[in-house]
Amino acid sequence: MKVLKFGGTSVGSADRIRNVADLITGRGQNIVVLSAMAGTTNTLVEISDYLYKHNVNGAKEIINDLERNYRRVVALLFTQVEIRMEADEEVEAVFSSIRSLARDSFTSFEEKEILAQGEMLSTKLMHLYLRQCGVNSGFLPALEYMRTDKNGEADMDLCIPSMSVQISISLAISAAPMIDAVRSEPPRRRLSTSPYALRHI
């Protein structure tokens, strides 16, 4: 099993997502880690900066622009109507979540949640695209195993054993390539703020 890491440029468009999908299928068992699509993290940082400055309207304009970009990617990437609708629903859910955090009372807690959305989106789109390609993929949220220490950082002593159990269970029920989403969330009941990842089997 290998760990394959793809940066934002590698998944920066519908065509590049297709290329990565081609690379990770048919290569045995792999853990695949995806960054946010190119430009997304910088845009989410910009949104957070606007909100720290209490410019909610300015932040919402940037949110709308970013959502339109993702809608275009979905339209280009998905040919099966049912899966495209599901992808649109995922995009809508993510951006509704971001909008719900766009308020004057903005803290580092909300910032962490906003910054997590880029990796979440690239992971979910890849997961759905593999499904469209007939690849048996699974989706394993990090909420199943991630924990943080008193400083809000990932506590690997707690994470690794639990993660190993979850991966073993997923491997047992998925015979073909799989995606793991290591979901980024703000600390909540000691859940971690870690980036998304993909596991391909």
Side-chain angles (χ1 to χ4, degrees), residues 145-148 154-164 192:
Y145 53 82
M146 296 302 287
R147 298 293 181 270
T148 57
D155 188 332
M156 298 313 294
D157 289 336
L158 291 175
C159 294
I160 291 175
S162 180
M163 180 173 62
S164 297
S192 173

Side-chain angles (χ1 to χ4, degrees), residues 140-180:
L140 179 62
L143 294 179
E144 300 294 330
Y145 53 82
M146 296 302 287
R147 298 293 181 270
T148 57
D149 60 22
K150 63 182 179 181
N151 299 313
E153 300 297 326
D155 188 332
M156 298 313 294
D157 289 336
L158 291 175
C159 294
I160 291 175
S162 180
M163 180 173 62
S164 297
V165 170
Q166 293 297 325
I167 289 175
S168 296
I169 292 170
S170 295
L171 284 169
I173 62 176
S174 297
M178 168 183 295
I179 289 181
D180 283 345

Side-chain angles (χ1 to χ4, degrees), residues 81-118:
V81 174
E82 183 179 336
I83 297 179
R84 184 170 60 212
M85 289 175 61
E86 190 173 343
D88 275 327
E89 288 171 2
E90 294 287 359
V91 170
E92 182 175 355
V94 166
F95 283 95
S96 293
S97 175
I98 293 174
R99 286 188 185 91
S100 73
L101 300 169
R103 50 182 181 256
D104 281 328
S105 56
F106 189 74
T107 68
S108 61
F109 182 93
E110 286 81 20
E111 180 186 20
K112 287 179 180 179
E113 188 160 355
I114 284 177
L115 296 181
Q117 303 309 307

